[in-house]
Amino acid sequence: STSRLYEKILRGRYSAASWLSDGARDLIKGLLTTDPTQRLVIKEIRQHRWYRSAGYEFALSQLPTLEPEEDILEQLTRHGFPKAYVRKYLQNNKHNHATTTYYLLAAKKNRLLEKLAARDVVQDERERRGDGQATEPSRVPRLAEPAVQSPTAPHS
């Protein structure tokens, strides 16, 4: 039941999959510790033997740093978020109310751009056919796909 699941989550009760390595189990235990003073922080995670053996530090260092979109920062400014504050937390990959709002606005913008692109494809098809009848496009281009995919966690 859902209430039992929530109770297990709040108490930190879980069963690790049998296929997980001892190092992965130890890292997960450190991440899921319910006492925040005992829970692993980023520095400890990066120093953990399993994390270091997986090569994530190299993979993460290879990801490009993306600059925040100015039009979205302008919208946030109109909602009371200072640009420098939002930029700082985005660049440091921190999660708070400002970055959450930024990502929600970015997702909304991308959905709108995708709708506009789909409409343009349909209009181009109408013009190509010359009869005013549009057929649904076989593929609508996606505009906001990430250039680099996040590294996939290796199984240890």
Side-chain angles (χ1 to χ4, degrees):
S1 84
T2 305
S3 61
R4 287 180 58 200
L5 174 62
Y6 288 142
E7 183 180 318
K8 284 183 175 184
I9 292 170
L10 290 173
R11 296 188 194 288
R13 289 193 211 149
Y14 64 94
S15 299
S18 61
W19 49 265
L20 285 172
S21 68
D22 290 339
R25 287 173 190 256
D26 184 60
L27 178 61
I28 291 169
K29 179 182 176 187
L31 293 170
L32 298 181
T33 300
T34 57
D35 180 357
T37 64
Q38 298 298 310
R39 193 175 306 133
L40 294 178
V41 295
I42 295 294
K43 183 177 180 181
E44 294 166 321
I45 294 167
R46 289 185 170 168
Q47 292 173 347
H48 192 276
R49 63 190 159 124
W50 185 88
Y51 181 90
R52 294 179 71 74
S53 71
Y56 287 116
E57 209 54 49
F58 173 77
L60 291 174
S61 70
Q62 301 305 305
L63 292 176
T65 302
L66 301 176
E67 284 296 316
E69 297 182 47
E70 283 299 318
D71 60 325
I72 298 173
L73 289 174
E74 286 295 329
Q75 287 181 41
L76 287 167
T77 301
R78 290 191 299 270
H79 290 287
F81 295 102
K83 270 189 189 181
Y85 175 83
V86 177
R87 189 181 305 276
K88 172 185 169 187
Y89 283 93
L90 286 170
Q91 289 173 340
N92 290 318
N93 200 25
K94 300 291 184 186
H95 184 78
N96 62 19
H97 60 293
T99 58
T100 299
T101 306
Y102 176 90
Y103 289 122
L104 288 170
L105 289 171
K108 180 179 178 181
K109 175 184 174 181
N110 288 336
R111 283 191 308 273
L112 176 62
L113 289 173
E114 287 175 359
K115 285 180 184 178
L116 291 172
R119 187 187 71 194
D120 290 345
V121 168
V122 170
Q123 182 62 36
D124 290 347
E125 179 67 16
R126 283 184 180 145
E127 291 171 5
R128 186 185 65 76
R129 289 179 55 151
D131 61 5
Q133 299 280 330
T135 57
E136 287 300 312
S138 58
R139 182 178 174 277
V140 175
R142 298 197 51 90
L143 294 180
E145 294 181 17
V148 176
Q149 295 294 323
S150 297
T152 306
H155 297 281
S156 297

